[in-house]
Amino acid sequence: MTPDQWSAAFTGRIAQRLRHSRKAAGLTMAEVAQGCAARGLPELTEHSLKNLESGRKASISVADVVVLADVMDVPPVTLLFPLGSSATVEVLPGRELSTWDAVAWFTGESPLDEPALEGSSRNVLDLFRQHGDLVAAAMSSYAMARERRRAASTTLDRARRATLLQRAEGYEEHAFEDCQELRMFRGRMRDRDLAPPALPDELTFVDQPEALPPSEDSE
């Protein structure tokens, strides 16, 4: 496929995904156009949407894709790549990948050929994903600890209560270690002049080195 053919095919694929997503959302073209206008993009009229879905419109802007995705409540990347409906996709002219690999490449989750170099855009994305994993781990550990303590507070079985409290303490130890790792990771991000994401309210103490983690007993 030549570059010109690839460009037209790419737009055509977006049109197909747009049609599928619109019908799945139960929206008419007029309703989609109204949604676009409400989001500040009145130029995406019902007529232009008809031209796009019919293949008469040969191009679409990034802004159009983002707004249309929001109107139909789908991730924008799902309009770009036929995930779930096609096993492979020509991600670049003459470059075919599995559709999942194409999505992962587009979102920065994996490289096309080689690991990301330190300091590269993909490397930065990897750092923020690792940060998200650390936050999720700490939140999960604290949630498990709270659940065990609450279960212990409602049981009349003394042996079971002791077991639940012991398990809660174990999860709290995991949470403490998770938060220590998260604190150090955020420090390394700052050392690279990267601003770490805002923490959930439950973990704001992580940025205060002398602060203790929240305790269920103190609530």
Side-chain angles (χ1 to χ4, degrees):
M1 188 181 294
T2 67
D4 288 344
Q5 292 171 328
W6 174 82
S7 179
F10 195 94
T11 301
R13 186 169 64 240
I14 293 174
Q16 290 177 355
R17 300 294 291 178
L18 172 62
R19 185 184 308 110
H20 177 271
S21 298
R22 178 178 62 78
K23 290 183 177 180
L27 298 172
T28 65
M29 290 187 188
E31 289 171 332
V32 173
Q34 290 170 4
C36 291
R39 288 161 175 78
L41 215 62
E43 57 267 31
L44 273 177
T45 63
E46 182 179 359
H47 179 70
S48 65
L49 290 170
K50 286 180 179 177
N51 285 338
L52 180 61
E53 288 196 14
S54 67
R56 290 191 295 271
K57 182 175 172 61
S59 63
I60 184 170
S61 71
V62 174
D64 292 347
V65 170
V66 172
V67 170
L68 286 167
D70 188 59
V71 170
M72 290 175 288
D73 195 25
V74 298
V77 71
T78 63
L79 295 180
L80 302 178
F81 299 106
L83 189 63
S85 61
S86 179
T88 62
V89 64
E90 191 172 359
V91 66
L92 294 169
R95 189 72 169 278
E96 190 159 334
L97 294 177
S98 79
T99 306
W100 174 243
D101 286 343
V103 171
W105 164 74
F106 187 84
T107 59
E109 293 178 57
S110 67
L112 278 175
D113 294 311
E114 301 174 354
L117 296 175
E118 184 172 346
S120 68
S121 297
R122 277 182 285 166
N123 176 246
V124 171
L125 285 170
D126 287 342
L127 286 174
F128 277 84
R129 286 195 177 87
Q130 291 173 40
H131 180 277
D133 290 342
L134 291 173
V135 169
M139 293 287 287
S140 177
S141 294
Y142 278 124
M144 294 296 285
R146 286 195 297 269
E147 190 277 330
R148 296 301 187 275
R149 286 194 176 277
R150 287 168 185 167
S153 70
T154 60
T155 184
L156 299 178
D157 186 323
R158 294 180 65 181
R160 175 166 171 74
R161 183 175 188 274
T163 297
L164 287 169
L165 289 175
Q166 185 178 24
R167 290 177 179 173
E169 290 173 1
Y171 282 118
E172 285 164 351
E173 289 178 7
H174 284 303
F176 179 79
E177 293 171 358
D178 291 338
C179 288
Q180 289 290 93
E181 186 177 0
L182 177 59
R183 179 176 292 155
M184 290 187 291
F185 192 87
R186 289 172 69 82
R188 290 197 296 272
M189 292 180 76
R190 293 188 180 98
D191 289 342
R192 293 183 55 176
D193 294 325
L194 297 173
L199 289 165
D201 291 342
E202 299 92 326
L203 298 180
T204 52
F205 69 90
V206 166
D207 281 338
Q208 302 168 14
E210 302 305 318
L212 294 174
S215 170
E216 192 75 15
D217 291 337
S218 65
E219 292 181 359

